[in-house]
Amino acid sequence: MRYSDVDFNHKTILITGGAGFIGSNLAFYFQEHYPQSDIVVLDLFRSNVTLSNGNLKSFGHFKNLIGFRGEVISGDINDKALLTTLAKNYKFDYIFHEAAISDTTALEQDLMIQTNVNAFKDLLDIAVQHGANMIYASSGATYGDAESPQRVGREAPQNVYGFSKLMMDHLARQYSQKHDHISIVGLRYFNVYGPREFFKNKTSSMVVQFGHQLLSGKNPKLFENSDKILRDFIYIEDIIQANILAMHPKESGVFNVGTGRARSFQSMVDILQHELGTSYACEYIPNPYIGRYQFHTEADIESTKAVLGYEPRFSFEEGIAAYVPEIKRLFEQELS
């Protein structure tokens, strides 16, 4: 479905992190709806490089781009020479900035700030130079354990990832005030799930992880009182909708992207069991994260609706139902 009346054919679009979950979905959106657009994907494709916690430094995977016909560049957004070359060799109309160190358990504060904040400033400079509207990934992690509903201005990050995203938002506001010839929009994603997330490994959503547990014939393991642990789960198609609407906003700013309705982890498993035709008994285990765990997130999306014209299209039931065929395909082709 198209989410804008603007014709993006013959426009040059840079997508950083374009081999990741959200970036690859954006790339295919433009390829499908605007086949004459020039899409440039930049990604630090995965290697054997890991963070100190043992997780991969980059989750970019070539399989997320199978079928993509645009230009693909492997590179690090921290590479200033690379960014200089991009600024010189292209004239971007829009920049979607999805690349980041997104592991909330990463201990490398220096790398997190360098990658998420300092490199963002370099990309903002390119946007200003090219006259390109910037749409970038902020995060619901900026709120930490702030009370629900989470509203812009009530941030309380609990880890360096959330802090880095909040610093990006501050930087974006500074640039917006100085450069009014472009729009700069930050989108605070809440709990996103959907196709092309699988290669995030254990940081992929619990929707796909529980789906594969059930398909394996295993009893789903939930924390105790999971009917009282709620999140604002949002299907990838609504994330794409918000990104496209953010290309021409009424004004620059930072906006929540969720459904505006919190749902429990118990409901997630119940919906999956219904869609998969299973009826395994849930096993409940103690929650080891009490005291440093969010028990309720729910995005206040009133400003997102007013400024971007955003309206979530997928309920939790509808999103999971749309996702189940891909969950089954992944189980058969990637896990079996």
Side-chain angles (χ1 to χ4, degrees):
M1 178 176 176
R2 289 193 183 191
Y3 300 115
S4 172
D5 293 330
V6 177
D7 185 1
F8 298 112
N9 283 308
H10 308 295
K11 299 297 184 181
T12 303
I13 300 164
L14 173 64
I15 305 174
T16 72
F21 176 25
I22 294 168
S24 60
N25 277 285
L26 278 167
F28 280 104
Y29 174 87
F30 287 109
Q31 178 170 285
E32 177 184 353
H33 295 291
Y34 306 98
Q36 295 181 68
S37 59
D38 295 316
I39 312 161
V40 180
V41 160
L42 172 65
D43 199 285
L44 181 63
F45 285 80
R46 68 180 56 201
S47 64
N48 60 358
V49 177
T50 59
L51 300 170
S52 60
N53 60 10
N55 293 342
L56 288 171
K57 179 182 177 183
S58 173
F59 293 118
H61 201 293
F62 80 92
K63 286 189 176 181
N64 284 334
L65 290 172
I66 290 177
F68 177 63
R69 298 185 297 273
E71 185 171 357
V72 176
I73 300 171
S74 178
D76 192 330
I77 57 172
N78 292 312
D79 184 346
K80 290 183 179 292
L82 170 62
L83 296 187
T84 298
T85 299
L86 287 175
K88 178 181 177 182
N89 292 346
Y90 298 87
K91 177 65 168 64
F92 297 116
D93 297 293
Y94 303 93
I95 297 175
F96 289 90
H97 179 41
E98 305 296 328
I101 299 291
S102 58
D103 189 336
T104 59
T105 65
L107 301 176
E108 288 85 349
Q109 297 187 24
D110 53 348
L111 180 63
M112 187 77 76
I113 300 302
Q114 179 186 0
T115 305
N116 293 3
V117 185
N118 303 150
F120 178 49
K121 186 175 189 299
D122 294 334
L123 286 162
L124 282 169
D125 287 335
I126 294 176
V128 169
Q129 177 187 340
H130 288 200
N133 286 357
M134 166 72 81
I135 306 93
Y136 69 93
S138 182
S139 173
T142 55
Y143 296 112
D145 60 358
E147 65 178 22
S148 292
Q150 285 75 30
R151 293 191 179 97
V152 175
R154 295 183 179 178
E155 299 82 10
Q158 298 296 302
N159 53 51
V160 67
Y161 171 70
F163 172 80
S164 73
K165 290 294 182 177
L166 183 56
M167 293 304 101
M168 289 175 68
D169 295 338
H170 292 330
L171 189 61
R173 288 193 185 96
Q174 294 172 18
Y175 268 72
S176 294
Q177 291 167 2
K178 294 178 182 177
H179 307 284
D180 59 4
H181 68 295
I182 62 171
S183 61
I184 304 172
V185 172
L187 299 176
R188 288 183 176 168
Y189 306 145
F190 276 63
N191 289 72
V192 191
Y193 65 98
R196 300 189 177 94
E197 68 166 314
F198 175 76
F199 295 105
K200 291 175 64 179
N201 299 353
K202 64 181 182 181
T203 65
S204 60
S205 77
M206 290 309 300
V207 176
V208 69
Q209 294 191 52
F210 276 131
H212 288 160
Q213 282 184 32
L214 293 167
L215 289 170
S216 298
K218 298 177 182 176
N219 292 35
K221 291 186 177 181
L222 289 157
F223 289 146
E224 294 172 345
N225 299 312
S226 279
D227 59 329
K228 298 179 177 65
I229 303 175
L230 294 90
R231 295 281 187 276
D232 194 332
F233 297 103
I234 178 167
Y235 189 53
I236 183 62
E237 276 297 317
D238 280 330
I239 292 291
I240 300 305
Q241 178 203 164
N243 272 271
I244 301 310
L245 293 171
M247 296 173 77
H248 290 279
K250 293 180 180 178
E251 60 189 54
S252 297
V254 178
F255 305 95
N256 289 334
V257 186
T259 64
R261 183 186 178 194
R263 301 293 298 271
S264 71
F265 282 91
Q266 182 67 60
S267 69
M268 176 193 300
V269 171
D270 293 344
I271 297 166
L272 279 165
Q273 297 239 52
H274 172 76
E275 291 296 329
L276 294 171
T278 59
S279 55
Y280 298 110
C282 294
E283 296 180 9
Y284 297 98
I285 60 177
N287 186 344
Y289 304 109
I290 290 178
R292 50 192 178 97
Y293 190 75
Q294 288 176 304
F295 280 85
H296 194 288
T297 67
E298 185 173 276
D300 182 330
I301 57 174
E302 291 309 307
S303 64
T304 320
K305 292 179 177 180
V307 177
L308 301 186
Y310 165 81
E311 191 68 49
R313 297 175 55 240
F314 288 82
S315 68
F316 205 19
E317 286 81 2
E318 291 166 337
I320 290 177
Y323 191 13
V324 158
E326 175 66 3
I327 291 174
K328 290 179 177 178
R329 185 196 69 81
L330 288 166
F331 181 77
E332 294 169 359
Q333 298 183 13
E334 297 292 342
L335 293 177
S336 61

